[in-house]
Amino acid sequence: MSITEDTSIALAPLAPLTRDELTTAVALLKDGPAAAESFRFSSVSLKEPSKAALRSGDTTREAEAVLIDRATGLAYEAVVDLAASAVTSWTELPAGTQPPIMMDEFAECEAAIVASPLVAEALAKRGITDLSLVCAEPWSIGYWGEDQAGKRIMRALMYTRLEPNDNPYAHPMEDFTVLVDLNTQEVMGIEDDGFLHMPREKNNYHPDFVGPARTDIKPIEISFPEGRNFTVDGNHIEWLDWSFDIGFTPREGLVLHRVGFRDKGELRPILHRASLTEMVVPYGAPGRSQQLKNAFDAGEYNFGYMTNSLQLGCDCLGDIQYFDATLVNSVGKPYTIQNAICLHEEDDGLLWKHWEFRTNDAQTRRSRRLVISFVVTDANYEYAFYWYLHLDGTIQFEIKATGILSTAGIAPGETTRYGQMLNKDGLYAPIHEHIFAARLDWAVDGDSNSVYEVETVAEETDDPVTSPFYAKRTLLETEKAAARPADPLAHRWWYVESESRTNKVGEKTAYRLMPTNAVLMKKNPDNWVTKRAQFSTNTIWVSKFEEGERYPAGEYPNQSTGFGGLPEYIEADESIVNEDLVMWHSFGLNHVVRIEDWPVMPKQVTGFFIEPYGFFDENPTLNLPTESGACATSAPQHESAAPEHPHCH
Ligand code: ABN
Ligand code: CU
């Protein structure tokens, strides 16, 4: 089912644009300011209603579009009022602004490279003549301090397969890259330092190569004999105590809106909007083509566009509700990614347990969680993104990084400290990081919130017997004071407090962020990647909510020159006490590659937890039933040789 295609349901204000709405928006633009053939659509999507409009219920359906005029190289933003059938805003962006790369540009770029005589000559020097097996993998050029003269450029890394289905990442051509002007689709030049060794050993994961699969694994079946626990009404989901809306944007892919928990019948808000908004991958190996690799996978390539069509029993197991996503291609034609989002419920092991050994009474409750997920393929890598809603009010975000390592070549027999050797034919995978940024627009019991930092500290004392320690809470008063790195040994974390609602013990209700996978940028502060990915230099940032402040590396990170996004959002250093707040959390993987990550990587997991912290008056899951009575037992737990305890019977 599509989020929006069920016409029996009135469109909710945050439901993504329907195919019809996308068609209308594109037609109005083509009939108006984007009439010239040279216009390309980087994206067309819902212009989300403002918070004020959502509050008042006075919302209209609007589209926002980002376009590029290939004839001039200029980019434009447009707003279309769908009810009024009018283009209501058309803005030329500053020269040099480069919107995210379009899927069609990847294909066009690869075709231009493979057709280039210059490239064919360089390939022949490496003994490669079958162009049908050659893989050009375009990456954004980034920014390295040199003026790019308004050009829209990608730099392609070069690989080849040695036969169909062979893994091209086993055969990188090191320090041979190709620059392409995306607007003219011309090869601008090649960068070839003459290193001709290409690793030729085949390293494959495809069944064509690995032989028969094992046959000794018995199946698992997941069934819900009495039906589902969730309901779906358009893009609105209710699951047990949870209530939220699903959204999908070209940039972020899956978005959760208006996440709330029904507490004794009252729907209490927690997050106004939550999404994964950016990711940067800096590489450690010093060679030029490795250093020039850097990817802002959301801002440069659009997670939404790279979203997979999921398969039942493969990507998700159980009773699945899928949602499709409808986007437009570069010429404005709508297309649908079937099964883009997966929603299902799963068992989650133990939630809580106590065996009261004195009375021999064991109480156990099982945890279950609602999973809302999607998977993207960013050229070599896959990222599977999961939001988990738990019965006890916990929200967990998890990323499984899988897919294929971005590889590099050196001379056979050499080794390097900048990566992991993968074979003895000169193939290695450079060290790198994946630093993600989540955007959490908080609404803990309302829009008026404050943020505290917590550390566990010991009191100074000379007494070797008494050594008290406690959780020290510090109010973060302004935006600049709230740009903070993690400190796991201090057990540093942050909570977001409501302004006025209190719990049973008189404390203000709150939710906390547990930064379980903090990773910071390892490149030097004056490196261009660091300048462009400032979000990756702190674990949390907090900004006072402003409409339009939505991406931590800025609205247009592709070929950006640095310090966009968060540094701008907090520049005024506004008060963040009892305000409408957005928290930005950087986390991820410092990927010291293992040989076991090759030739396809078993998932590496990262993420974070958002937990109630005095939001409830007690454990909110006391009313959970035992599973068929099986988890409350007074059966003997072990045989004791001691006499029965006199007081406990
Ligand atoms: N894995 C980096 C990447 C993403 C998208 C396109 C090219 C490369
Ligand atoms: Cu990695």
Side-chain angles (χ1 to χ4, degrees):
M1 168 179 159
S2 158
I3 298 177
T4 51
E5 300 304 311
D6 184 346
T7 46
S8 65
I9 293 161
L11 277 178
L14 293 163
L17 296 184
T18 63
R19 183 174 276 263
D20 284 351
E21 287 176 319
L22 289 167
T23 305
T24 305
V26 169
L28 288 166
L29 287 162
K30 284 189 173 172
D31 286 348
E37 277 290 303
S38 51
F39 275 99
R40 292 292 162 125
F41 293 80
S42 175
S43 61
V44 183
S45 55
L46 175 75
K47 178 169 164 47
E48 290 175 18
S50 69
K51 281 190 182 176
L54 282 170
R55 241 179 258 123
S56 68
D58 187 15
T59 57
T60 49
R61 298 287 286 172
E62 288 180 305
E64 60 183 21
V66 180
L67 298 94
I68 297 164
D69 183 354
R70 282 190 159 179
T72 61
L74 292 171
Y76 297 83
E77 285 176 350
V79 177
V80 178
D81 183 331
L82 291 159
S85 291
V87 176
T88 48
S89 158
W90 176 258
T91 311
E92 182 182 307
L93 297 172
T97 305
Q98 298 299 347
I101 287 146
M102 295 167 264
M103 289 293 103
D104 292 334
E105 288 178 318
F106 278 101
E108 290 165 344
C109 185
E110 185 162 23
I113 291 170
V114 175
S116 157
L118 210 55
V119 173
E121 197 183 313
L123 288 169
K125 280 197 225 157
R126 289 161 174 86
I128 295 158
T129 49
D130 185 348
L131 296 181
S132 73
L133 296 173
V134 168
C135 305
E137 185 172 278
W139 289 48
S140 158
I141 190 179
Y143 180 76
W144 309 100
E146 287 159 21
D147 183 31
Q148 291 155 345
K151 284 192 193 305
R152 184 168 171 78
I153 310 170
M154 289 186 94
R155 169 182 278 110
L157 305 171
M158 300 298 293
Y159 308 86
T160 195
R161 301 172 199 277
L162 296 177
E163 60 178 298
N165 273 344
D166 181 32
N167 173 9
Y169 297 102
H171 316 299
M173 293 173 233
E174 193 64 18
D175 286 334
F176 163 35
T177 50
V178 185
L179 294 176
V180 175
D181 180 327
L182 295 183
N183 284 334
T184 62
Q185 286 303 318
E186 280 165 10
V187 169
M188 296 165 66
I190 64 172
E191 298 165 323
D192 182 356
D193 74 355
F195 176 74
L196 296 182
H197 175 72
M198 182 192 75
R200 288 191 161 260
E201 183 180 307
K202 289 182 191 164
N203 296 159
N204 283 299
Y205 60 90
H206 193 277
D208 284 1
F209 298 89
V210 296
R214 60 193 286 178
T215 53
D216 57 339
I217 301 183
K218 299 183 181 67
I220 293 180
E221 273 184 15
I222 295 168
S223 67
F224 291 81
E226 293 175 31
R228 297 170 164 186
N229 288 302
F230 59 84
T231 58
V232 178
D233 181 3
N235 73 325
H236 181 70
I237 315 296
E238 298 266 340
W239 175 67
L240 302 175
D241 299 321
W242 288 99
S243 167
F244 61 99
D245 292 342
I246 284 180
F248 190 90
T249 72
R251 176 75 72 99
E252 303 147 293
L254 173 64
V255 177
L256 299 188
H257 295 282
R258 302 195 284 195
V259 182
F261 192 95
R262 218 172 283 283
D263 177 20
K264 302 187 187 89
E266 179 196 1
L267 183 57
R268 296 173 62 189
I270 299 166
L271 286 161
H272 178 74
R273 191 182 191 283
S275 66
L276 201 265
T277 43
E278 194 51 275
M279 188 200 75
V280 66
V281 186
Y283 281 80
R288 180 177 152 83
S289 58
Q290 296 304 322
Q291 283 295 301
L292 296 188
K293 267 167 41 176
N294 68 110
F296 291 69
D297 283 23
E300 290 181 338
Y301 306 114
N302 274 330
F303 280 141
Y305 278 101
M306 298 186 296
T307 296
N308 290 188
S309 185
L310 302 174
Q311 286 180 42
L312 185 61
C314 302
D315 299 291
C316 306
L317 198 59
D319 183 2
I320 308 297
Q321 174 77 48
Y322 286 112
F323 298 92
D324 302 338
T326 304
L327 301 163
V328 299
N329 69 9
S330 70
V331 291
K333 190 168 179 296
Y335 68 97
T336 297
I337 303 172
Q338 309 282 345
N339 299 350
I341 299 169
C342 167
L343 174 77
H344 73 286
E345 180 179 336
E346 61 188 27
D347 180 80
D348 182 40
L350 184 68
L351 177 62
W352 57 261
K353 168 162 191 151
H354 182 59
W355 170 41
E356 181 47 61
F357 65 89
R358 299 169 193 85
T359 56
N360 196 18
D361 178 85
Q363 296 288 336
T364 308
R365 299 296 180 275
R366 285 196 74 74
S367 175
R368 49 174 78 192
R369 59 191 187 186
L370 190 71
V371 188
I372 315 109
S373 64
F374 76 119
V375 181
V376 302
T377 298
D378 300 357
N380 55 311
Y381 253 77
E382 265 72 16
Y383 298 104
F385 300 111
Y386 303 84
W387 289 98
Y388 299 118
L389 303 180
H390 294 255
L391 295 170
D392 65 350
T394 299
I395 302 172
Q396 182 186 353
F397 185 65
E398 184 177 80
I399 301 174
K400 295 179 186 173
T402 173
I404 307 188
L405 298 164
S406 183
T407 49
I410 51 174
E414 278 183 17
T415 58
T416 168
R417 70 175 185 207
Y418 302 106
Q420 171 65 49
M421 294 310 301
L422 300 174
N423 63 32
K424 288 191 164 176
D425 195 17
L427 183 72
Y428 81 101
I431 186 172
H432 59 278
E433 299 180 282
H434 306 248
I435 313 172
F436 300 89
R439 180 180 182 276
L440 304 169
D441 181 349
W442 288 100
V444 180
D445 279 325
D447 279 342
S448 204
N449 292 163
S450 304
V451 179
Y452 287 77
E453 179 166 291
V454 179
E455 291 180 355
T456 304
V457 293
E459 278 168 9
E460 297 255 336
T461 160
D462 295 332
D463 177 355
V465 175
T466 307
S467 178
F469 57 91
Y470 68 105
K472 181 176 164 206
R473 297 169 172 81
T474 310
L475 176 66
L476 302 180
E477 294 189 37
T478 67
E479 291 174 315
K480 286 191 177 165
R484 302 287 294 156
D487 185 350
L489 295 184
H491 195 48
R492 182 182 292 167
W493 44 271
W494 299 274
Y495 70 91
V496 181
E497 182 181 89
S498 76
E499 182 178 2
S500 51
R501 185 163 177 146
T502 52
N503 62 20
K504 174 178 167 178
V505 292
E507 292 165 348
K508 289 181 180 157
T509 55
Y511 254 75
R512 66 181 186 178
L513 173 84
M514 303 306 280
T516 47
N517 285 268
V519 176
L520 294 182
M521 174 61 76
K522 287 284 182 292
K523 284 187 179 275
N524 292 327
D526 59 354
N527 181 271
W528 283 107
V529 181
T530 314
K531 290 180 187 171
R532 297 173 60 227
Q534 281 293 292
F535 69 87
S536 65
T537 63
N538 275 300
T539 305
I540 66 151
W541 304 66
V542 182
S543 57
K544 188 173 152 191
F545 174 83
E546 292 287 346
E547 298 285 351
E549 290 187 351
R550 44 190 195 171
Y551 304 125
E555 194 73 20
Y556 297 106
N558 187 19
Q559 299 184 216
S560 65
T561 57
F563 299 101
L566 282 171
E568 295 167 331
Y569 301 167
I570 68 162
E571 181 50 34
D573 200 19
E574 289 187 80
S575 166
I576 50 169
V577 179
N578 292 330
E579 294 288 355
D580 187 1
L581 301 181
V582 178
M583 184 183 280
W584 310 76
H585 176 37
S586 304
F587 65 96
L589 298 162
N590 192 317
H591 197 168
V592 178
V593 176
R594 307 171 300 163
I595 197 164
E596 291 86 350
D597 295 341
W598 182 251
V600 65
M601 191 167 86
K603 65 172 194 277
Q604 291 281 298
V605 176
T606 183
F608 58 89
F609 288 82
I610 300 171
E611 298 173 336
Y613 181 62
F615 188 79
F616 301 110
D617 287 338
E618 61 181 355
N619 176 346
T621 66
L622 300 184
N623 62 355
L624 272 184
T626 57
E627 303 284 332
S628 325
C631 302
T633 172
S634 56
Q637 304 285 312
H638 69 95
E639 257 178 51
S640 172
E644 286 198 351
H645 197 294
H647 304 298
C648 290
H649 291 276

